[in-house]
Amino acid sequence: MVEFEMPVTRLKTFERWDFYSPLDQKLKMVDASNTPFITYNNGVPCFEANMYMHRQLVAAMSRRVKGGTLRTYAMHIHHLVRFCSQNKMHFSKLTDSSFTLFVNSLQAERDKFGELSRSNNHVIQIAHRCLDFLSFVQTCHDLENFIGEGKENILRVKIKKYKIQIEGSKHQREVEVISHASVPTKDAVKSRFPVSEESALKVWDYIKTQKNREKRLRDIALYQCLEQLGARITEIHLIKIKNIEDSLNSGANAYLTLTTLKQTEHDVTRSIPVTRALLVDIQQYINKVRNQVIKRTIGKANDHGYLFISLITGNMLQSATLTKYMNIWKKDLAIEGELHPHLYRHAFITNKLKELILQHKEITSADKFREFLLHTERFKMQLQQWVGHKNPKSLDRYINLVFADLNGYSKTYNAVQLKDSVKIVKRQVQNIEQQLEDKEATMTESIFLIKKILCAFEVDIAQSLNKK
């Protein structure tokens, strides 16, 4: 089954062979759902591009790279697929001059507002990916003197090797990058700041007042998870109903188990402390929305178990969906600067580090905090629970940002989790008021929900006082 999203589609319910087992004489298959599938503009599949994506898929499965990265690769090389199609040339006929024309067209393209469609850094990413693809084309067709460093090649490139740090690991990976004389220089590096409180408030005010009740309750639960868990958006979409049930049954200290991505090991999980107030919001979404949508779409017998679902199909909600929503919200709410899900992860990490620093009066500089981080095993365990990072160095940018914000100010901060709970409870009360106003809930239902919220809040208060 193919889900059409021209120019790059996704292969749904797709399997690929892994190996042949001589013991039971069967070909072993692995799940390769959501593999990008590339076509020309007329809908004809591009053989070379799809073979290249197959190779990337095999490599990705060993590194736990998810579909979003593969789709990015596919979108990058599709620019070259379209360029060659429009100019009626095969990939093997590209020369230095025609590839330069391709790169220049990427730089010159403008959007409907007359602004440049992409930055130099984006053009560099596309060009490097396309050159890697052309190197694959040379191997695929057993070409000679097509692409390489020597003068005999019609497409002369430079091959550079360097090491990159893997997020969530202390190890580095050596990568090989193929570049070309036409590739532009990098833009100045811009620091990526966490989502601002002002932007976050605008988004929250919009979400809680959406007219579609089902979408409102789902988006409230999704937004609360995004803000309170500090997880990658795909990690949030991998949460299952069983994880929520286990969290509700975990006793006084509620923990939620998340899948940790971007680790070299497989099946890596972490447990994050969560407030009872957050679990109340998620329960309301499950009972009033999710279960009903599953029943009317795919049927209870076919329930896949994922928490967040499409309200139309009942299938697992894709991570790209929230990114699309945020792009729309950014425009409709006139939010300046960046707005995308990963900025909430930045904000979560920054705020948690700030809370830890404020708990320790003796920490007065970034250097002292790094020393504290390296020698405190308890903190390392907390850190791993929160964000799934193994390497403390990956926190450097957050530490510098926190101390710039604090500007030397320090005070004892107690009841860290209580602050999160207070924020959620305020939002829940506002949501109940909205439901009463829209006549979506009766007074009896509202009173019952308020009692449930207060019970959860009472547990959070007790937990906070015990942590002093």
Side-chain angles (χ1 to χ4, degrees), residues 314-444:
N315 294 326
M316 173 189 177
L317 195 66
Q318 298 298 313
S319 56
T321 302
L322 185 57
T323 301
K324 290 178 182 177
Y325 284 162
M326 286 197 168
N327 287 335
I328 296 171
W329 298 339
K330 176 184 173 181
K331 181 180 177 182
D332 291 347
L333 300 174
I335 293 175
E336 297 181 359
E338 292 185 286
L339 181 71
H340 54 79
H342 206 71
L343 294 186
Y344 285 82
R345 176 170 164 83
H346 292 325
F348 176 89
I349 297 172
T350 303
N351 289 333
K352 289 301 180 185
L353 287 174
K354 186 185 296 184
E355 290 164 356
L356 274 171
I357 291 167
L358 291 175
Q359 287 183 65
H360 297 83
K361 293 181 179 180
E362 69 277 11
I363 299 175
T364 56
S365 69
D367 289 338
K368 283 189 176 182
F369 186 65
R370 289 189 185 92
E371 185 178 350
F372 167 79
L373 185 154
L374 289 170
H375 295 90
T376 307
E377 199 63 35
R378 181 171 173 270
F379 173 76
K380 290 178 187 177
M381 292 173 64
Q382 284 183 315
L383 179 64
Q384 190 174 4
Q385 278 186 332
W386 291 340
V387 296
H389 281 179
K390 282 186 178 179
N391 186 7
K393 286 186 178 179
S394 60
L395 290 174
D396 274 356
R397 59 175 172 166
Y398 300 109
I399 293 171
N400 293 332
L401 188 61
V402 168
F403 275 94
D405 184 40
L406 291 176
N407 196 25
Y409 174 73
S410 181
K411 68 176 182 179
T412 302
Y413 188 93
N414 291 320
V416 169
Q417 259 194 301
L418 184 59
K419 186 181 72 171
D420 292 336
S421 188
V422 169
K423 181 190 289 186
I424 294 175
V425 169
K426 284 182 179 178
R427 290 175 174 178
Q428 289 169 333
V429 171
Q430 290 172 346
N431 188 40
I432 292 171
E433 289 176 342
Q434 188 68 45
Q435 289 186 52
L436 281 170
E437 186 177 325
D438 295 340
K439 297 182 180 180
E440 293 180 353
T442 65
M443 185 62 70
T444 302

Side-chain angles (χ1 to χ4, degrees), residues 89-259:
M89 68 166 69
H90 188 263
F91 303 118
S92 61
K93 300 301 180 183
L94 283 163
T95 63
D96 279 330
S97 59
S98 56
F99 189 80
T100 299
L101 179 62
F102 165 65
V103 174
N104 290 343
S105 69
L106 292 175
Q107 286 185 279
E109 190 175 339
R110 294 181 178 271
D111 61 23
K112 62 182 180 180
F113 302 107
E115 301 291 333
L116 289 173
S117 296
R118 53 189 69 87
S119 65
N120 275 2
N121 291 351
H122 191 190
V123 172
I124 292 170
Q125 291 175 352
I126 295 172
H128 285 170
R129 181 56 51 189
C130 289
L131 288 168
D132 186 64
F133 165 63
L134 292 174
S135 181
F136 170 80
V137 170
Q138 176 168 257
T139 303
C140 182
H141 290 293
D142 195 22
L143 303 174
E144 290 186 2
N145 304 331
F146 170 47
I147 181 171
E149 293 184 286
K151 293 182 179 180
E152 69 278 6
N153 297 288
I154 61 173
L155 189 53
R156 289 189 63 187
V157 295
K158 296 179 180 179
I159 299 177
K160 299 179 181 179
K161 292 182 179 180
Y162 62 96
K163 293 182 178 180
I164 61 172
Q165 189 71 47
I166 303 172
E167 182 186 354
S169 172
K170 61 182 179 181
H171 302 293
Q172 290 183 324
R173 180 162 57 91
E174 186 173 84
V175 295
E176 187 175 89
V177 173
I178 307 174
S179 192
H180 186 262
S182 63
V183 176
T185 56
K186 287 185 177 182
D187 295 319
V189 177
K190 295 181 180 178
S191 297
R192 179 166 284 180
F193 292 98
V195 64
S196 68
E197 288 190 18
E198 181 183 358
S199 297
L201 183 59
K202 283 184 178 180
V203 173
W204 169 249
D205 286 341
Y206 175 83
I207 287 174
K208 72 178 185 181
T209 56
Q210 291 180 103
K211 296 300 181 184
N212 184 315
R213 177 175 175 272
E214 288 188 340
K215 188 173 185 303
R216 182 173 72 246
L217 293 180
R218 183 201 64 186
D219 290 353
I220 283 174
L222 179 59
Y223 185 85
Q224 300 279 46
C225 285
L226 187 69
E227 192 175 65
Q228 300 295 324
L229 301 182
R232 301 172 183 91
I233 183 61
T234 305
E235 292 172 346
I236 291 175
H237 286 298
L238 290 174
I239 297 173
K240 290 199 167 186
I241 294 295
K242 186 179 185 307
N243 299 132
I244 302 302
E245 292 172 348
D246 290 345
S247 182
L248 288 166
N249 297 326
S250 59
N253 297 312
Y255 284 86
L256 181 63
T257 300
L258 297 179
T259 299

